[in-house]
Amino acid sequence: MDNSRREFIKTSAMASVATVAAGGSSAVAEKLKEAPADSSVQWTKSVCRFCGTGCGVMIGHNGNQIVALRGDPGHPTTKGLVCAKSLFLPKIVHSKDRLKVPMLRKDGKFVPISWDDAMELMADKFAKAIKKHGPDSVAYYGSGQAMSEESYLCNRLFKGGIGTNNVEGNPRLCMASAVGGYVSTFGKDEPMGCYDDIWAANTIFLVGSNTAECHPVIFDQILAAKQAKRSLNIMVLDPRKSPVVSAARVHLNPIPGYDLAVLHSMAHCIIRDGRHDEEFIGKNCQFKIVKDGKPINVGLDGYIKFLEDFTPERAEMVSGVPAEKIEEAAKLFTYGPTMSIWTMGLNQRTRGVWANNLMHNLHLITGNIGKPGATPFSMTGQPNACGGVRDTGSLCHILPYGRLVKKEDHRKQMEKLWGSKPGIIKSKPGLHTVAMFRALGEDKIKAMVMLTTNPGQSMPNLHPVRDAIGKPRKDKPFIVVLDSYPTRTTEIADLVLPAAMWSEKTGVFGMSERRYQIHPQVKKAPGMARSDFDIMLEFAGRLEDKGAVKKGYIKGKFKTTDDVWDEMRLASRDTPYDFMGITRERLYKERGLRWPCPTEDHPGTARRFVKGDDPTLDSGKYADHTLAKGDVKFYAAPNQRAVVWLRPALGPAEPTDKEYPFVLSTGRVLEHWHTGTMTMKAEELRRAYPHCFIEMNPKDAREMNVRSGDMIKITSRRGEARIRARVVDMPRPGMVFVPWHWEDKDSLINFVCTDAFDPGSKQPEFKICAVKLEKI
């Protein structure tokens, strides 16, 4: 642990002790004060804090203490299952190193300050920057872990109040390519299927997804479906033999970054063998290729000709996947209904949008879409990246519920609903995440607030990012961080505001299958911590008082997250997201609801674009009464036909060479999550994986004379890390794998990763960069 990190934690702990001594509360003191007379444990329905699966949980609480957590057996999709991480949430919430008082950096050290002083300073810094340098001199960086109401409020404040589109969040790092894929193929974001499809599928295709460790409850359901239906085929496309391979009939292991050729080759085989669905294609598809920057229609014949370059034999030469395996996978894919599931292995790529397009291509040409068990499904890594950021429009180029900043009518719609000054929302997108931190390092951004995320550890190419946030310099930008725990970002911030944790505030999470679920407050936040919502609400009011935001824009309009939720429902009305029927009362009563859900008596939508299921086809702009029940119509796509894209099979941004001969890929392990900020607080989880490791293929290890436990120096063109080897037959030869949860300086693998990004989605290529290895 370096000195700045140690100093921050020490100051935070001392400030917390001072707060209790001065009459503040601690977890123990609150338990003594507030425990009910009979000390009975109450159980409250909620949703898990971790990944995008959205597991239903029951929280056991006694007074102000969470004493237990279990799966909710009444949950319609996760059915009482939870993973190890979820079970330890009570310990995580009650961690001793929670942030409890506002802290300001003075002369290089943190000192506690009052909330009034903290909020006044924050508002003053932002207001002065806006007045002197304009609205684009400030920025907001949010999270797929914030509540939907928090993200919506911040998006509303910055775009419609301050007048800047510099609104970003960490979903840019994990889901932006999935968004780009859905929008460019179908016209609207988000999966059209649901978890029920797992049980109806005859084939499940796992692509770039270590479902067993990253979404274990989903993998458990896949295994249960396999046990119930022995004929279920499971296929895996991944250069690493993650645990999901043990269940697979076919494993395709391409050279990292060269899997687009495999997906094209599968399409080639399907059409060559006449296994495509010509009727479905004729009714629902169009074929396009980009030439000179413009999409050109080529028709099915043009697609077939394009695929001639992707015979299995040629694809094998490019990808390293044996031709016979490609043939087998193509055949199994047509044994539908087929469900494909993917995550970061496709998304965190410089060709991420294209890879997503090619997954959709396979479903479209086979008609494996819009039926039980037939769907292309992108899983989400965070609990609220979908509902909280993608849906609320909290990225630099979008507005709530499918709207775009570049469309004038969309801007006017939101300005009218928000009560903004006409024309305040700019037509030009703001800075995307990588560009935002580069601008911060160039001092073009003068003030920035970060909420519920840890970019000082999670961003790629970390050295310039950490310098941008924390390096002392003249006229350094003012950085405010809201968090519940000390992190590698809070340690280099200027102002740290202690935030309430999950279970200490009430709000909505929206998970991968479009299900919105409420997590209620069951305890008070420790010390002086406040919810991110309350902090940003007060911040908005103070900006109004200083003239940086229109008077009455937010101040006085909202008091609670309930108030914001009602406006969010109005924002969704008459859009394909319409959830006017998902009232607060229904969220408390039911185990979540899947949008669209336009009326209070609507049960929610299992499958979009399907007549008789998707209410969008029954009324409003996209209504079509000529369709029969079960017919598919891609109403948001150009000419209401989904696009089959002819994408070049290009490789990664940084291929290997003589100097950097290995490919590095990063990911997760079962027991930890993201930067370990939460999971490392549970001793049992920490013991399971106390240290970082680098997986090496036995063939590479023999050539380097490396054994498990040896220290390996990993070097790229950007930085280095020093991590102990684990020799195991999981990565393919020439590839190494490192999980990214550990915060010690030697283990921070994101110093090594490239910040090259997809030109469409602007999502960085965490999964592939070139490195050299040295045994030390």
Side-chain angles (χ1 to χ4, degrees), residues 126-127 130-131 134-136 138 140 151-167 399-400 411 414-426 536 539-555 557-558 567:
F126 274 76
I130 293 165
K131 290 176 182 178
D136 286 337
V138 300
Y140 163 81
S151 293
Y152 180 90
L153 177 73
C154 294
N155 192 31
R156 189 189 203 276
L157 169 62
F158 277 77
K159 287 178 182 164
I162 294 171
T164 179
N165 289 332
N166 287 342
V167 173
L399 291 166
R411 298 195 302 274
M414 294 315 302
E415 287 170 352
K416 181 179 179 181
L417 177 65
W418 286 345
S420 303
K421 296 176 182 178
I424 194 171
I425 302 176
K426 294 184 172 70
M536 295 305 292
F539 172 58
R542 289 183 183 245
L543 286 182
E544 291 182 22
D545 293 341
K546 293 179 181 296
V549 173
K550 173 185 168 184
K551 275 282 188 183
Y553 177 66
I554 286 178
K555 194 174 184 179
K557 283 192 175 182
F558 308 115
E567 183 177 284

Side-chain angles (χ1 to χ4, degrees), residues 380-451:
T380 311
Q382 298 185 89
N384 205 24
C386 289
V389 175
R390 290 161 71 171
D391 296 356
T392 65
S394 298
L395 292 173
C396 69
H397 64 297
I398 53 178
L399 291 166
Y401 308 111
R403 298 176 176 93
L404 301 172
V405 300
K406 69 180 182 181
K407 292 195 174 183
E408 184 179 8
D409 59 328
H410 290 182
R411 298 195 302 274
K412 287 182 176 179
Q413 288 170 22
M414 294 315 302
E415 287 170 352
K416 181 179 179 181
L417 177 65
W418 286 345
S420 303
K421 296 176 182 178
I424 194 171
I425 302 176
K426 294 184 172 70
S427 60
K428 181 181 178 181
L431 298 170
H432 61 83
T433 291
V434 172
M436 182 177 284
F437 282 97
R438 288 176 180 172
L440 186 69
E442 295 165 357
D443 297 344
K444 293 177 181 176
I445 291 175
K446 305 299 181 181
M448 186 172 177
V449 57
M450 305 175 189
L451 185 153

